Amino acid sequence: YVNAGNIQNQGIEISLGITPVMTEDFRWKTSFNFSTNKNKVIELHPDLKTFVYGDEGFSSSYSMRLVEGGALGDIYGKAFERDEATGQIVFSKDDDGDLIPNVVGSGNTIKVGNSNPDFMLGWGNTLTYKGFSLYFLIDGRFGGDVLSQTQADMDQKGVSVESAAARNAGFVDLEGTQVKPDKFYTAVSGRNGCTEYYMYSATNIRLQELTLSYRFPDLWFKNVLKDVTLSFIANNPWMLYSKAPHDPELTPSVGTYGQGNDYFMQPSVRSFGFGIKLKL
């Protein structure tokens, strides 16, 4: 083990808070937060041009690699073979004369995406009217890619909605070419299948937090208790937009390995609760 390498980050974070409305009984405070970061692997070690997180021999069509000129969060795997001139997928015919898409990248050598967002936005609001207060925070992550090996395994076993629809239709439409479902999923699905096909946008927008509270008048408690406030609190109650088949913010690992990969993870959780605050 040696301490080596040159990895550079350049980013910016901007926060803005304003109060558009403020009267004797009503007030609206709002704040915006924008952040972005660009990462680049300048160099590793003279004898190490690429570094693979985790076990390089792990049986999977997924690996995260540090490669000179690349970035942290780069996802490598297998992809469709494409014609260099047209960019179209190359197909072969099997012994039955059926079209099969060619999948290349043995050893997970093709970059298929990056797990990091292009930028992130947050919009927080607090509205107060007399004793009532409503706070909500909307978070948005824009850009980045995620892989769903859960979807790949479900397709291979024929238990996903997509594989059922393909059986009913009698074909899978792959960029304008129809492929028989059994032949298609044999070629692309499963843990060792075509990584490119199971990549999804990580863009998502959600209601991250919601708090509704009421501060009771002190006279109700004869001024013995003060600032008695009852609150309803919800965390992660509503996914407003997401195209991935799982929560793209989840990760199976607390470290860097596993970022952007869903392999039968638990779903994300909504939580609801009440709170009471008071002063003597």
Side-chain angles (χ1 to χ4, degrees), residues 81-90 175:
E81 181 183 0
R82 295 182 180 271
D83 184 272
E84 293 184 0
T86 64
Q88 295 180 335
I89 296 175
V90 177
E175 297 185 3

Side-chain angles (χ1 to χ4, degrees), residues 43-111:
E43 64 177 345
L44 296 175
H45 185 276
D47 298 328
L48 183 69
K49 299 303 180 184
T50 179
F51 176 78
V52 180
Y53 292 110
D55 184 0
E56 190 167 4
F58 187 62
S59 178
S60 171
S61 64
Y62 160 91
S63 66
M64 296 195 75
R65 296 172 179 262
L66 280 180
V67 179
E68 291 185 356
L72 284 169
D74 284 345
I75 300 173
Y76 284 75
K78 300 176 183 178
F80 293 115
E81 181 183 0
R82 295 182 180 271
D83 184 272
E84 293 184 0
T86 64
Q88 295 180 335
I89 296 175
V90 177
F91 292 85
S92 301
K93 289 187 176 181
D94 63 8
D95 294 339
D96 298 325
D98 296 322
L99 290 175
I100 305 294
N102 291 352
V103 177
V104 295
S106 177
N108 301 333
T109 56
I110 300 176
K111 180 182 173 181

Side-chain angles (χ1 to χ4, degrees), residues 20 23 32 40 56 58 90 93 95 98-99 102 107 132 141 162 183 191 210 214-215 248 255:
T23 67
F32 300 88
K40 186 174 182 179
E56 190 167 4
F58 187 62
V90 177
K93 289 187 176 181
D95 294 339
D98 296 322
L99 290 175
N102 291 352
F132 290 95
R141 166 190 171 129
E162 289 75 12
K183 303 295 179 70
R191 281 174 36 133
L210 174 70
Y214 178 70
R215 182 181 181 276

